[in-house]
Amino acid sequence: MTSLVRHVTIDCSDAYALATFWAQVLDSKVSDDDRPGDEEALVETPGAGLLFIQVPEAKAVKNRVHLDLQPQDRTRDEEIERLLGLGATLLDDRRNPDGTGWATLGDPEGNEFCVERSEAERAATSAASTDAAAASAVSTDS
């Protein structure tokens, strides 16, 4: 192996404030070394940390990289409601009536991220599809 991702770096106007938002999203914390007003703030997470860097220019276009979140202990819809309560905004709702799909949210500075279905929701949809296919096969065999 040649490299590992150490940090995903996100430009922003207030590094500490945005790091605090993401720390809440990820049930983590801002590094003990970081304080309000710092030009950098780190949220350590399993795998790669999120490093927020203060820059003078405002966000001007759609992100070219974004995070996809998968809830671990709640449904996608419950997680979306929790994140909206933390200050996220709903940008695009791609949830489907059959339970598939995702939602694109924006963090307090407008950076896009998606919330997908939990593993349990994926398994339930997969099981329902398998059951429907089996029922269809039985009815065509009769």
Side-chain angles (χ1 to χ4, degrees):
M1 182 180 330
T2 59
S3 295
L4 293 174
V5 175
R6 181 168 176 225
H7 300 127
V8 175
T9 302
I10 300 169
D11 292 348
C12 58
S13 63
D14 186 334
Y16 191 83
L18 198 56
T20 300
F21 169 82
W22 279 100
Q24 291 176 312
V25 168
L26 300 171
D27 193 27
S28 187
K29 67 181 190 109
V30 177
S31 173
D32 292 336
D33 297 333
D34 297 321
R35 303 277 179 266
D38 287 353
E39 292 184 4
E40 297 181 2
L42 176 65
V43 176
E44 294 187 38
T45 62
L50 297 180
L51 180 61
F52 298 89
I53 306 285
Q54 191 166 307
V55 297
E57 62 275 355
K59 180 180 177 293
V61 296
K62 183 183 184 314
N63 300 16
R64 293 189 58 107
V65 174
H66 69 265
L67 304 177
D68 290 338
L69 304 181
Q70 182 181 50
Q72 300 298 299
D73 60 353
R74 59 184 57 97
T75 67
R76 174 198 57 210
D77 295 347
E78 291 169 337
E79 182 66 350
I80 290 167
E81 289 306 312
R82 183 181 81 86
L83 299 174
L84 293 173
L86 292 175
T89 55
L90 182 63
L91 301 176
D92 190 17
D93 195 337
R94 297 289 183 103
R95 293 176 280 185
N96 300 312
D98 68 356
T100 61
W102 68 93
T104 303
L105 280 69
D107 71 16
E109 291 200 13
N111 299 300
E112 295 93 357
F113 64 98
C114 293
V115 181
E116 300 178 348
R117 295 177 294 154
S118 68
E119 191 62 41
E121 289 173 297
R122 288 176 185 277
T125 302
S126 177
S129 295
T130 302
D131 292 346
S136 176
V138 169
S139 68
T140 58
D141 287 344
S142 302

